[in-house]
Amino acid sequence: MREVSFIFCAEKSAVAARALLGSVANVLTDRGRLLRRLADAGPGTVAGLVLCQVLVSAAAPCSALVTGAVVQRLGDGTLSRTLPPLVWLAIVLIVQQVAATLAEHFGTTAARQIDGEVRLRIREMALAPDGVHHLAGGFRADAIRAGDLGITWRVRSAGTAATGQVVLAFRMVAAIFATIILGTYSWLLALFLLATSLTVRAIVRRHLLYMARVGDEAADSQRQADYWAELASGPAAAKEVRVFGLAGWALGKRWKLHHAWVENNTRARLSILRRQGTTVALVVASALAALLVPTLAMRSGNLSTGGLATCLIAAFAIFQIGSMGYEAFDIEYGAEAVRALDRMESRYRATVPPASPAVAAQAAATPPVIAIRDLTFRYPGAAAPVLHDLTLDIRPGEVLGLVGVNGAGKSTLMRLLAAVHQPESGSILVDGKPLPELDTAQWRRRLAFVLQEFVRYPGTLGDNVSLAAPDHTVDQADIEDVLALAGLSDKTASLPQGIETPLWAGAGGADLSGGQWQRVAVARALYAARHGRQVIVLDEPTAQLDVAAEVDFYDRVVTSVASTVILISHRLATVRRADRIAVLRDGRVGECGSHTELMALDGEYARLFRLQAGRFDEQSHAGAEK
């Protein structure tokens, strides 16, 4: 029975030892990962940081020795012999202060450089693939965490974690040298103080990791609370919030989320505070030992007054390794950002297939022939495909209308045409070549899009137009011309700086209405067409325009483009004059032809057109009666 008990205890000890070794290995791996990030800071910055930390870490044990010499010689009453160690003490303290100040500078600089490289790497990984499928799911969550600069009062970035690790490493060096100095008087006391300080640090580190995990778990709730706060007080929804009296409701949502986060955070903190008995006992025991052992040794004549001063200052230097300064928060919080970046790099390499040899697209003087054959596509997690065996020809220079109910796949088809998504099966041929065999960047230089959710760039009006052709010299006359075609000549003339007016709702800038912003997006597509883009996709380009502007749109905009135009709209009056109209239904092209041909066919298009025309007639009749 005694043997069984012994074996059982031995197995438990072995398991505990393996767990401890595993924990130590994980810590060392994390620390090595952080130190490797210093390569992003540049050799000069890292060298300055290391040199300053060497001087700071050397100052503590040196001051213990020099202070002991000063106290000893003052006790001997020889003032002249006290002057040299006093000078050395002054030098040590000055060097320590200067080095600490410079270390702060180099640390901040290194952290910013590392964080800049991390964010650059995130952008490169986000932009490297031709499509956008990798941006969903875990990639986005890890990208936010890896580039996180802090959602609370402390920064939690990879840069601060790496520089904090340097601070901690040299603080450990200082503690080891202080232990050696104290060990010359009492090895037992020195090792006891070092062991208790490291134990206290390990306990507090575990608590910090727990709080970091609690904070990360609450990050989404905090972001939601910030969203509701901005909704209640920001300008974006100010009118609607006030008209409907939603301010109290929005603030209530924000308060509920914030209160839940605060309550959870407080509960976690109280849980940690209730477990501080061991920490307090170790701190009190080590402090008493550091004070009593040298004092008793001096009273018994085994230690001089100078030795007492040296022991006390050395003990204080050892205690510094147990204290959790800002660098501890930086390391424990920022290390998760580094782990997130590592996950991104691992998944990126694992999930993004190597690019196949691409054939560079030749510059063509005419729009391409596009043939879509048996195209099938479904979004990740969707039960049914959006497009199913879709076949369609897009002829050079024609105006093709694309219509269908919501969710028919019109915008999805255009994303596939732009190689943003890859089809499940089928193919898209451009001048007889499969789209995957073309150079994607070159192919996209032949496309221009006006999307439903067009981008409002925080630049000037001219920038918002000329960005459509970034590889061409900005042509001011063309910018003004396409703005006039888009119906913005009067607005341009009213702006304080014309096309050089910044478009943002702030000092020195001007904001536009929704319809005006849509006209800017149209002007952007027209500018792209003038600079070589040969396929222009206009996705709901009249959604925010009035009826008169919609009628004028085709004459002003569509007919002015010599490229192929793909016109997507629910408003059939916008597409009725197109050369051909394709009706998407059940993931396929259900009908295709001119407006006259489709009306004669008396199918889905004719039904929708009559329905919309009937509503327009009713509105016109009601307006006439008024």
Side-chain angles (χ1 to χ4, degrees), residues 154-466:
R154 281 300 298 169
V155 172
R156 322 192 301 163
S157 67
T160 52
T163 54
Q165 181 58 49
V166 174
V167 173
L168 177 60
F170 281 100
R171 186 175 290 177
M172 177 65 76
V173 170
I176 291 173
F177 278 111
T179 302
I180 294 173
I181 291 172
L182 183 58
T184 60
Y185 297 95
S186 172
W187 277 110
L188 184 61
L189 175 63
L191 293 176
F192 173 73
L193 295 184
L194 182 62
T196 53
S197 297
L198 291 176
T199 303
V200 168
R201 183 176 186 87
I203 294 172
V204 176
R205 177 183 174 274
R206 189 174 68 233
H207 294 162
L208 278 178
L209 287 175
Y210 173 66
M211 289 304 302
R213 189 165 60 251
V214 170
D216 283 339
E217 290 172 353
D220 285 341
S221 297
Q222 284 185 284
R223 278 190 280 268
Q224 290 179 43
D226 292 341
Y227 167 79
W228 285 110
E230 176 63 22
L231 189 72
S233 59
K239 300 182 187 69
E240 186 165 326
V241 165
R242 282 158 178 76
V243 168
F244 289 107
L246 301 177
W249 174 73
L251 288 174
K253 288 280 189 180
R254 190 263 177 195
W255 182 88
K256 184 176 180 180
L257 286 166
H258 182 70
H259 179 73
W261 173 80
V262 170
E263 185 178 4
N264 188 48
N265 192 61
T266 302
R267 188 162 48 247
R269 290 178 181 274
L270 290 175
S271 172
I272 288 175
L273 288 174
R274 284 193 291 266
R275 290 179 287 168
Q276 294 304 306
T278 302
T279 306
V280 171
L282 288 173
V283 169
V284 171
S286 58
L288 288 175
L291 290 171
L292 290 177
V293 172
T295 301
L296 293 175
M298 187 192 72
R299 289 177 63 86
S300 64
N302 295 324
L303 187 66
S304 65
T305 306
L308 174 64
T310 298
C311 288
L312 293 178
I313 295 176
F316 181 78
I318 296 172
F319 290 155
Q320 295 306 301
I321 196 61
S323 64
M324 305 297 284
Y326 286 151
E327 85 288 340
F329 290 90
D330 294 339
I331 293 170
E332 303 306 342
Y333 283 102
E336 180 56 36
V338 177
R339 285 190 284 269
L341 180 63
D342 288 344
R343 285 196 300 270
M344 287 178 62
E345 291 178 333
S346 174
R347 291 171 183 171
Y348 172 78
R349 295 193 189 100
T351 58
V352 177
S356 58
V359 179
Q362 300 295 320
T366 58
V369 176
I370 301 173
I372 302 171
R373 296 289 179 266
D374 301 323
L375 202 66
T376 297
F377 175 80
R378 83 177 70 224
Y379 287 101
V386 179
L387 304 175
H388 184 65
D389 293 335
L390 184 145
T391 295
L392 178 66
D393 291 321
I394 303 176
R395 301 165 186 167
E398 75 170 341
V399 178
L400 174 67
L402 207 58
V403 301
V405 297
N406 285 333
K410 306 181 293 297
S411 299
T412 299
L413 178 59
M414 294 303 101
R415 295 189 189 105
L416 291 167
L417 181 63
V420 172
H421 295 303
Q422 299 301 319
E424 187 175 304
S425 62
S427 61
I428 299 177
L429 304 176
V430 178
D431 291 330
K433 295 179 180 178
L435 189 55
E437 295 182 9
L438 298 179
D439 182 278
T440 305
Q442 290 288 345
W443 165 240
R444 287 174 180 164
R445 290 193 184 100
R446 303 175 71 182
L447 305 175
F449 278 73
V450 175
L451 302 173
Q452 292 186 52
E453 298 179 358
F454 46 83
V455 180
R456 306 181 183 194
Y457 295 102
T460 66
L461 174 58
D463 290 339
N464 269 273
V465 175
S466 63

